[in-house]
Amino acid sequence: KAGVTQTPRYLIKTRGQQVTLSCSPISGHRSVSWYQQTPGQGLQFLFEYFSETQRNKGNFPGRFSGRQFSNSRSEMNVSTLELGDSALYLCASSPYRVIGSETQYFGPGTRLLVL
Amino acid sequence: GENVEQHPSTLSVQEGDSAVIKCTYSDSASNYFPWYKQELGKGPQLIIDIRSNVGEKKDQRIAVTLNKTAKHFSLHITETQPEDSAVYFCAATPFSSNTGKLIFGQGTTLQVKP
């Protein structure tokens, strides 16, 4: 099976712009989670989507949003970019959520640089 | 709140030695504990995981132990090889959320010297 894919892999934006990142989960996986990774804060949970519904959200401002499509692909959007949004954004997918299906598989990430 | 502490932050061993990384979690209801390995320029790769109804799990040179009473879990790598050099993250799923949320430790940079 193909793994989790994320596009684009690298992105450079300027402050105030907005950005959309895309994630395609492993075939058959229905849950997609997003994380932000920075040297200072480490890996932090952004949100999770399952069956096109956001089921959980981390402690990030409303500028960070996401959605999931009927084919389980997901996008996240960051509006009004700030310098501190520079990070590696990781997407992870999980199988259908019954007990014991918490295992998450990560994609390679999108590295965002805000200038 | 939900928190995972990981130690040490850096670890240097000679090839062939063992390496141990320890984590402590705060949510006593946590029931799933994965370990990830992240190499430069790549996303985290799941290497082993353990659930709260199991005390120990082994996969070749890698083992994980869980002490629910002390809220500790550890990663053990035996016969280390240079290709084991990477950043390792422990994580815990807070049971209360019951959704795809992992709380990660700060990471351990493991260097295996040939």
Side-chain angles (χ1 to χ4, degrees), chain B residues 20-80:
Chain B
V20 180
I21 303 171
K22 299 182 179 181
C23 289
T24 304
Y25 59 97
S26 61
D27 186 347
S28 58
S30 291
N31 61 355
Y32 175 66
F33 308 91
W35 285 89
Y36 288 88
K37 173 184 180 183
Q38 187 174 26
E39 296 174 314
L40 206 59
K42 298 184 178 180
Q45 176 192 4
L46 179 71
I47 55 172
I48 197 168
D49 57 9
I50 193 167
R51 303 187 188 280
S52 57
N53 59 345
V54 175
E56 183 174 0
K57 183 176 178 181
K58 214 171 183 179
D59 182 4
Q60 299 183 337
R61 297 186 296 108
I62 293 173
V64 57
T65 58
L66 172 64
N67 182 329
K68 285 190 297 183
T69 304
K71 294 190 283 187
H72 287 169
F73 59 114
S74 299
L75 177 72
H76 304 252
I77 306 174
T78 58
E79 301 171 20
T80 53

Side-chain angles (χ1 to χ4, degrees), chain A residues 30-52:
Chain A
R30 294 172 59 182
S31 168
V32 173
S33 298
W34 288 88
Y35 294 82
Q36 181 194 65
Q37 185 175 25
T38 60
Q41 298 299 315
L43 278 152
Q44 293 187 288
F45 174 78
L46 280 157
F47 28 64
E48 187 232 5
Y49 288 87
F50 177 75
S51 290
E52 303 177 64

Side-chain angles (χ1 to χ4, degrees), chain A residues 9-80:
Chain A
R9 292 293 312 277
Y10 304 93
L11 210 46
I12 300 175
K13 292 286 187 179
T14 56
R15 278 184 301 173
Q17 288 186 310
Q18 74 165 22
V19 66
T20 299
L21 313 181
S22 180
C23 171
S24 293
I26 292 170
S27 177
H29 286 194
R30 294 172 59 182
S31 168
V32 173
S33 298
W34 288 88
Y35 294 82
Q36 181 194 65
Q37 185 175 25
T38 60
Q41 298 299 315
L43 278 152
Q44 293 187 288
F45 174 78
L46 280 157
F47 28 64
E48 187 232 5
Y49 288 87
F50 177 75
S51 290
E52 303 177 64
T53 301
Q54 185 184 91
R55 295 203 299 181
N56 203 350
K57 191 177 191 310
N59 294 325
F60 280 83
R63 299 185 297 107
F64 291 82
S65 63
R67 59 177 175 167
Q68 186 180 34
F69 302 96
S70 58
N71 62 358
S72 294
R73 191 177 70 83
S74 177
E75 289 181 347
M76 68 162 282
N77 185 76
V78 187
S79 62
T80 319

